[in-house]
Amino acid sequence: MDAQSRGQADEIDPADQWVLNPQTGNYELRLDRSAPKPPPSRSAGVAPGTSGRRGPSGATPTTAEVPGQRTRRSARGGNPPGGGDGGRGSQQTAAGRRKRKPPKSRKKKAMLWTGGVMACVLVAGSAFAYYLYERLNGNLNTVDVGDAGSKGITKDGPVNILLLGTDKRTGAGNEGYGDKGSTGHADTTFLFHVSEDRTNATALSIPRDLITDIPDCPTKQPDGSTKIIKGSQGVRFNESFGVEGRDPGCTMRTVKQITGVPVDHFMMADFNAVKTLSTAVGGVEVCLAKPIRDKDSKLDLPAGKQKVEGEDALAFVRNRHGLGNESDLDRIKQQQQFVASMIRQMKEDTLGNPKKMFAVAEAATQALTVDSAIGDIPKLTAMAQELGKIDVKHISFATVPVVDNTDGATVLLDEVKAPQVFSMLQNDISFTEVKKKESAAKSKQAALLKGPRAEASAVRVDVYNGSDTSGAAQRTLNWLQVEQGVLKSANKSNAPEKTAKTTLEYAPNQADQARKLADLMGLPATALKPGTEDAEGTEAMVLTLGADFKGAGVPITAPAKPPVDKVEADKQVCAQ
């Protein structure tokens, strides 16, 4: 009998299957009642000739709602090895019975069982005991996004996950909201960047009303064929999903095109997920600087701290009225607060509580749609274990820098700040103060920038364009000569081939010139390529602009600190 049928037929909550073994004094997980049982111990109070199954004397079964189950039994007193049934029909003596104290390591064992936890926008994941596999695995929905994402879970580099909340109006729990029949759009989107060393993470919100281009998108059809959905120019970002049959892979491709950050996986959920997950964790604490009474979302909350769940939680993350200028940008701040609070609660309250973990796991897997590369419990477990290494205080929330469009209803990328934010993610730079280990290779590379600088007038450089940006070499030349005083420079037109990274090649006796040019252009140490032989006469350095070139005067290297406001997940900020 599998875990699911066992839980329904015997009315036993799977989370109550942790039982005390009187032989060892440890709590153990009993997955199968047919498993061999250790011989009964007289010292444990079991009379000779009995079955060895024992329950708490006089215990009365209690019931409570668990997602996906009708009832569950109380775990008071613990069950013996083999999975006792609470003493039904068993004979036992009271003589010699001793009530053991739970080992001090019980909570630690539970934490090891759960393994790790993730709570992000509308989604949650954790490590589960094997016996829950079939029950939870069957809840997941998957989408094959082809080459839009990665093939598996990487442990060696950064991980980028697209967290997608849709305004889908179809399916259970979603029918009561406007635009009936809508399959949904990219209504709430976070690009969740996890650092290579797993010390920090950044959740970057992408406004749904951002005007952008959507690339052509290959999508898998029900019959297994692939259909190319033509891209669109100058449309809202939220049209990257749902419109003309676009799947989450289309949104992944759009995000990569906007940010330059490759997206590995996606997790998607709808309105109903907010209700079920917020209820499963016991409510999510939020804070309001002033009361909100909104007839549209039916939200009626006083000022101050309070917990929201179910319909109130959904209304909270959807509400715009009564906040700032009532725009989607203000709603994003409220959504970030909600997600940060859920992360704190999952870390502090749910982790280590097997019953609550099961409830959250059931709700999360029922709510989730993920890419096929992470479309089963072991793979989600592996991801959650990677994410569980991050301290909450090093998880930051920020929003893509934008400026108002002329129509007053949409926004455009901030051409100065947005590239800097994207560069921080591309270069895996933390938005929080995290002391990172520097490898020997990075230390050696950074040493190239240490030393004297030449005057700008002494810098001699030839500029080649290896990027996809037409005229980049000439614009850079104009900027160097007119604004920076690098007069000994020349435009050498297109490079022999396209290149991903900007590079500066120089001779050992040109090192002071190279450092000066790196300062002026914001070149990272990795862009410097020293040669082995000295330059002769008027030989110039070679600057090749790559795909990472963002424009003359825009630093290629990422800033040390984000040029936007951010909020750490361990801090509660009251919505204004």
Side-chain angles (χ1 to χ4, degrees):
M1 189 180 294
D2 64 21
Q4 182 171 358
S5 59
R6 186 167 62 239
Q8 292 177 339
D10 291 349
E11 299 184 339
I12 295 177
D13 183 350
D16 288 336
Q17 296 302 301
W18 287 93
V19 296
L20 178 67
N21 185 341
Q23 299 289 319
T24 64
N26 293 328
Y27 281 79
E28 299 175 359
L29 180 63
R30 295 302 177 193
L31 311 183
D32 188 351
R33 294 183 179 218
S34 64
K37 302 175 177 60
S41 170
R42 292 179 183 271
S43 64
V46 180
T50 65
S51 66
R53 298 166 65 183
R54 182 181 67 205
S57 176
T60 302
T62 59
T63 61
E65 291 299 320
V66 174
Q69 286 192 236
R70 296 190 185 95
T71 57
R72 65 184 181 189
R73 294 181 60 83
S74 169
R76 291 178 296 173
N79 291 323
D85 59 7
R88 290 175 293 175
S90 65
Q91 300 295 322
Q92 56 185 319
T93 64
R97 287 180 56 186
R98 294 183 299 176
K99 184 176 182 181
R100 292 180 179 269
K101 293 182 179 180
K104 292 182 179 180
S105 62
R106 183 180 184 186
K107 182 174 182 181
K108 183 176 180 181
K109 290 176 183 292
M111 291 179 69
L112 291 174
W113 170 55
T114 56
V117 68
M118 170 189 178
C120 302
V121 62
L122 318 183
V123 297
S126 72
F128 306 113
Y130 173 76
Y131 80 113
L132 291 177
Y133 173 80
E134 288 188 8
R135 179 178 187 125
L136 299 179
N137 208 57
N139 291 340
L140 288 168
N141 294 310
T142 63
V143 173
D144 184 352
V145 296
D147 62 359
S150 300
K151 298 300 182 183
I153 309 299
T154 178
K155 294 186 178 181
D156 300 325
V159 179
N160 299 297
I161 307 166
L162 190 70
L163 305 172
L164 187 59
T166 76
D167 54 357
K168 177 181 176 182
R169 261 71 174 188
T170 59
N174 298 311
E175 310 92 335
Y177 308 101
D179 301 330
K180 291 183 179 180
S182 170
T183 56
H185 304 85
D187 191 56
T188 300
T189 306
F190 286 79
L191 176 58
F192 195 78
H193 171 82
V194 181
S195 68
E196 180 175 4
D197 61 8
R198 306 299 188 258
T199 62
N200 64 92
T202 302
L204 185 67
S205 294
I206 301 177
R208 67 176 191 178
D209 295 328
L210 174 67
I211 295 299
T212 189
D213 294 339
I214 298 173
D216 291 349
C217 178
T219 59
K220 293 285 186 179
Q221 302 301 300
D223 62 1
S225 63
T226 298
K227 177 182 177 181
I228 304 295
I229 299 177
K230 296 296 292 182
S232 302
Q233 285 71 48
V235 297
R236 280 181 166 87
F237 170 79
N238 69 347
E239 294 185 24
S240 63
F241 173 76
V243 175
E244 299 182 8
R246 292 183 177 122
D247 66 8
C250 299
T251 309
M252 294 169 73
R253 297 173 194 275
T254 304
V255 169
K256 180 180 179 181
Q257 180 173 278
I258 293 171
T259 65
V261 177
V263 182
D264 298 298
H265 305 287
F266 84 86
M267 293 182 175
M268 179 174 70
D270 55 23
F271 286 155
N272 199 46
V274 183
K275 296 186 289 185
T276 57
L277 279 172
S278 60
T279 300
V281 299
V284 177
E285 186 176 82
V286 298
C287 182
L288 295 174
K290 58 184 179 180
I292 292 181
R293 292 179 177 84
D294 177 28
K295 63 180 181 179
D296 292 333
S297 64
K298 298 182 176 59
L299 186 64
D300 187 356
L301 296 175
K305 295 181 181 180
Q306 56 218 286
K307 281 194 172 184
V308 293
E309 62 180 87
E311 290 288 350
D312 281 344
L314 178 59
F316 183 84
V317 298
R318 295 184 66 207
N319 174 70
R320 287 190 301 177
H321 304 295
L323 294 173
N325 59 11
E326 300 188 353
S327 70
D328 185 54
L329 297 178
D330 287 311
R331 176 163 60 179
I332 285 175
K333 296 176 184 178
Q334 194 158 288
Q335 291 168 346
Q336 291 174 346
Q337 179 197 150
F338 181 87
V339 177
S341 181
M342 181 176 281
I343 290 175
R344 290 194 301 271
Q345 186 151 334
M346 290 284 286
K347 286 277 192 178
E348 298 167 3
D349 180 48
T350 306
L351 183 62
N353 184 328
K355 293 182 181 180
K356 186 169 286 189
M357 280 303 305
F358 176 74
V360 172
E362 184 90 316
T365 52
Q366 287 177 342
L368 281 175
T369 297
V370 301
D371 60 283
S372 53
I374 55 172
D376 61 37
I377 295 303
K379 292 173 183 176
L380 281 178
T381 295
M383 177 177 289
Q385 287 173 329
E386 290 295 296
L387 301 179
K389 300 173 184 177
I390 306 170
D391 193 315
V392 173
K393 68 182 180 181
H394 294 314
I395 299 176
S396 298
F397 289 83
T399 303
V400 171
V402 295
V403 294
D404 287 337
N405 199 2
T406 53
D407 62 8
T410 57
V411 293
L412 303 171
L413 286 179
D414 185 317
E415 294 183 359
V416 175
K417 293 181 179 179
Q420 296 179 57
V421 170
F422 299 153
S423 182
M424 290 186 71
L425 297 184
Q426 293 163 11
N427 291 279
D428 198 22
I429 296 177
S430 174
F431 279 44
T432 64
E433 297 295 330
V434 179
K435 185 176 181 180
K436 305 183 74 173
K437 295 180 181 179
E438 189 172 39
S439 66
K442 287 184 177 180
S443 297
K444 183 178 180 180
Q445 197 73 42
L448 295 176
L449 292 174
K450 295 179 180 178
R453 269 68 172 160
E455 294 295 327
S457 58
V459 173
R460 190 182 297 272
V461 62
D462 290 338
V463 183
Y464 290 83
N465 185 11
S467 73
D468 292 322
T469 305
S470 178
Q474 185 59 49
R475 284 192 293 274
T476 299
L477 181 70
N478 294 341
W479 179 79
L480 286 172
Q481 292 184 344
V482 176
E483 297 188 34
Q484 304 302 321
V486 183
L487 302 179
K488 299 175 183 178
S489 50
N491 175 8
K492 294 296 184 177
S493 193
N494 292 330
E497 58 184 8
K498 301 291 185 183
T499 180
K501 300 290 185 180
T502 298
T503 59
L504 176 61
E505 301 172 68
Y506 61 97
N509 60 341
Q510 295 173 324
D512 58 342
Q513 295 182 47
R515 296 186 194 104
K516 180 63 176 181
L517 190 62
D519 290 346
L520 295 175
M521 294 197 62
L523 298 179
T526 52
L528 273 59
K529 307 297 180 185
T532 56
E533 297 182 2
D534 283 348
E536 297 181 359
T538 59
E539 185 178 351
M541 300 184 294
V542 175
L543 173 66
T544 304
L545 305 176
D548 59 348
F549 176 72
K550 302 175 180 65
V554 179
I556 293 175
T557 185
K561 294 183 179 181
V564 293
D565 293 334
K566 61 181 177 64
V567 176
E568 281 80 32
D570 65 328
K571 298 179 175 64
Q572 186 171 60
V573 178
C574 293
Q576 299 293 323

